[in-house]
Amino acid sequence: MKIVVVGAIAGGSTVAAQIRRTLPDASITLIGSDSKIGYGSCGMPFVIGGLIEDKEKIGGPNPERFSETRNIRTLVKHQVTSINRKAKTVEVRNLETDETFQASYDKLILSTGCRSRVPSLKRLDDLPFFTLKSYADMEEIVRYLDTEKPQSCAVVGGGFIGIELVENFIHRGIQTVLILRGNRVMSSMDKEITDVLYDEMKANGVDFYFNDEIERIEGNRLMMKNGVAINTDFLVASIGVIPNTSLAIEAGLTIGVTDGVVVNEYMQTDDPAIYAIGDIAEWQDWVTGKPKRVQLAWHAHRQAFIVSSHLAGRPVKVNPFLGTTITKLFSLTAGMIGLSEQNLRVEGFDFDTVTHEGRTNAGYYPDHGTILIRVHFDRKSRQILGAQAVGTKGVDKRLDILVTAMMGNMTVDDLAALELSYSPPYSSPKDPINMVGYKAKLK
């Protein structure tokens, strides 16, 4: 079987390696436009901030060694420019020599990822401007910071990547402002959670411009819509991404309402010979059943397993997406699963919410932390619809318990009976998760 994988970062390199394990005799070609493959893009903000001192630690496997040890033809700095579904071929262009050639396939896997959305601003070239999506983007930012030694920056966009960049610029001693069209950071989360994040950022020296946006740029001055002028050495935009679906569109594959490539439970497109995984794949939301697209590494890796299993004749269906996500912000950790309060209202759910705020472990233990948990549940079925948490320690543990509870179809009341591990350094006799269950019984 001839298999061609387009895109060589998280999903592409992983699916190629997993197919080699399940189909040892297959002919596999992995094609990527970057010079690197399988790099840890989630670690890029921490390289920028200097927390990870050696960028090569997230640089992924050496392409030549990857090719040799796994017997996978690996083409870096190459781009697939078109798909001929009838002939089952792709046209490939060498980005260094501009030469083109065709590669045939029996099965084709698209893992083309996303590109950063760039704001439409007058005179954007007046000052250094960056986005962060690729390893090359990261290198460009680090090179600028190391050589130019800027003192100030402005970040547009307060989502997960935006706030991680803000923290890491502050870590490098750069005066940082965050510009948002809305009235709070991390608007995908509940206000009770984002209020805590705002206070943490403010305490660490971040300046904010809410309900505002850049109207134009004059030299190193950002002229804001509300009349303020902000002086800055450089500008970074983190305002979302656009899925790279042009190949799929030109090949006539179905694009869904999320602008992703529509797939079935085995990650197949409407052409059974073509699969789509990662950022571009549109499947279903766990809670609503509606179309959903998730741009997270866990999903790309899981989908790689789904595809390799299907190709090997041992099919496993992909679950609907919960969208579990987590982030570090200075001394805090914050994360969420499922739907937020705002999402649930928009979807018309009849739901209630349990909020628990307390210690993560025994208060008499020297290293104890605090946590705020919010769990949304259906009033009738008592099924958990979504959860969020923020705190100084143990947030990941509690969110992972709640993910397991949701996937196991447990009710919010069942949380009280969970026999969770306890010792003073780690928890309390009644864990915060147990407390959510006890409080739910009163609602």
Side-chain angles (χ1 to χ4, degrees):
M1 184 186 295
K2 289 183 180 179
I3 299 168
V4 172
V5 182
V6 183
I9 313 303
S13 59
T14 302
V15 75
Q18 292 196 357
I19 292 170
R20 172 54 68 224
R21 296 189 190 100
T22 57
L23 293 173
D25 297 326
S27 169
I28 306 171
T29 300
L30 176 65
I31 304 171
S33 56
D34 292 335
S35 61
K36 292 184 173 291
I37 66 170
Y39 55 81
S41 56
C42 299
M44 294 192 298
F46 307 106
V47 173
I48 290 170
L51 185 63
I52 300 173
E53 296 180 356
D54 181 5
K55 66 181 180 180
E56 289 303 320
K57 288 186 175 180
I58 70 164
N62 176 279
E64 292 182 0
R65 193 175 304 120
F66 180 88
S67 178
E68 292 172 2
T69 58
R70 289 175 170 80
N71 188 25
I72 295 172
R73 184 188 183 199
T74 304
L75 304 176
V76 296
K77 295 185 179 180
H78 283 69
Q79 182 179 30
V80 173
T81 57
S82 65
I83 302 168
N84 186 327
R85 289 168 55 185
K86 186 175 180 180
K88 285 193 172 183
T89 61
V90 293
E91 184 168 286
V92 186
R93 181 164 65 94
N94 185 319
L95 296 177
E96 294 183 303
T97 67
D98 210 36
E99 294 176 312
T100 62
F101 61 91
Q102 289 190 339
S104 61
Y105 67 84
D106 297 308
K107 301 293 182 182
L108 177 66
I109 302 166
L110 302 179
S111 182
T112 47
C114 290
R115 62 189 183 277
S116 295
R117 197 178 296 275
V118 176
S120 178
L121 294 172
K122 298 176 182 177
R123 296 173 62 177
L124 185 58
D125 294 335
D126 274 16
L127 80 171
F129 169 74
F130 306 97
T131 59
L132 180 64
K133 191 66 182 74
S134 69
Y135 195 89
D137 292 338
M138 179 198 73
E139 289 183 308
E140 186 181 9
I141 295 172
V142 171
R143 187 162 46 248
Y144 169 78
L145 298 180
D146 289 345
T147 58
E148 300 300 323
K149 311 293 184 185
Q151 300 299 305
S152 62
C153 78
V155 176
V156 181
F160 282 94
I161 301 301
I163 67 171
E164 287 180 354
L165 283 170
V166 166
E167 176 187 358
N168 282 283
F169 290 141
I170 291 287
H171 188 261
R172 290 191 66 135
I174 300 171
Q175 182 181 350
T176 306
V177 301
L178 182 59
I179 300 169
L180 299 159
R181 284 184 175 179
N183 59 4
R184 57 190 179 96
V185 298
M186 296 293 289
S187 58
S188 60
M189 304 184 80
D190 294 348
K191 186 177 184 300
E192 290 80 356
I193 303 293
T194 61
D195 283 349
V196 178
L197 299 178
Y198 168 78
D199 290 342
E200 177 75 358
M201 296 176 80
K202 198 72 176 174
N204 281 276
V206 181
D207 292 322
F208 294 87
Y209 288 85
F210 290 112
N211 300 307
D212 208 349
E213 58 186 298
I214 302 169
E215 195 169 68
R216 67 185 186 281
I217 298 172
E218 295 181 359
N220 67 339
R221 287 159 58 88
L222 308 178
M223 311 307 292
M224 306 301 291
K225 188 175 182 180
N226 288 342
V228 178
I230 303 172
N231 291 314
T232 188
D233 291 333
F234 69 101
L235 176 66
V236 179
S238 181
I239 55 175
V241 293
I242 302 169
N244 292 322
T245 54
S246 58
L247 273 177
I249 292 171
E250 291 168 8
L253 301 176
T254 299
I255 305 298
V257 296
T258 70
D259 293 328
V261 182
V262 175
V263 296
N264 64 14
E265 62 267 38
Y266 303 113
M267 308 310 297
Q268 288 173 298
T269 68
D270 43 16
D271 182 335
I274 303 178
Y275 298 77
I277 63 173
D279 295 356
I280 65 169
E282 176 181 294
W283 181 224
Q284 298 172 357
D285 181 86
W286 180 278
V287 178
T288 66
K290 292 183 176 180
K292 185 167 186 166
R293 190 169 53 82
V294 177
Q295 296 112 226
L296 295 169
W298 184 93
H299 299 78
H301 282 252
R302 177 61 180 173
Q303 291 160 24
F305 170 78
I306 298 296
V307 171
S308 64
S309 298
H310 194 250
L311 290 173
R314 297 189 293 271
V316 177
K317 294 182 179 180
V318 68
N319 288 325
F321 301 153
L322 270 168
T324 307
T325 189
I326 194 166
T327 190
K328 174 191 176 298
L329 184 64
F330 298 106
S331 69
L332 297 178
T333 299
M336 66 181 296
I337 56 175
L339 299 188
S340 67
E341 180 178 1
Q342 182 179 353
N343 293 148
L344 290 167
R345 293 192 189 285
V346 170
E347 294 293 338
F349 278 89
D350 182 20
F351 72 98
D352 208 337
T353 303
V354 174
T355 300
H356 175 72
E357 188 170 9
R359 296 189 180 99
T360 57
N361 55 308
Y364 56 77
Y365 190 79
D367 180 28
H368 64 266
T370 58
I371 193 169
L372 170 63
I373 304 176
R374 287 173 58 80
V375 176
H376 308 301
F377 62 94
D378 187 279
R379 278 199 173 98
K380 292 181 180 178
S381 70
R382 313 289 287 180
Q383 294 291 313
I384 301 169
L385 303 173
Q388 303 181 19
V390 60
T392 56
K393 63 182 296 187
V395 170
D396 54 342
K397 170 182 174 179
R398 274 71 188 201
L399 284 173
D400 289 344
I401 293 170
L402 290 166
V403 167
T404 305
M406 287 187 72
M407 294 188 67
N409 292 317
M410 295 173 63
T411 68
V412 67
D413 307 290
D414 291 333
L415 299 177
L418 287 177
E419 187 178 343
L420 301 175
S421 57
Y422 162 63
S423 178
Y426 306 109
S427 185
S428 300
K430 287 193 289 289
D431 188 86
I433 292 296
N434 297 138
M435 291 304 300
V436 169
Y438 284 121
K439 287 185 175 182
K441 291 178 181 292
L442 302 177
K443 288 179 173 282

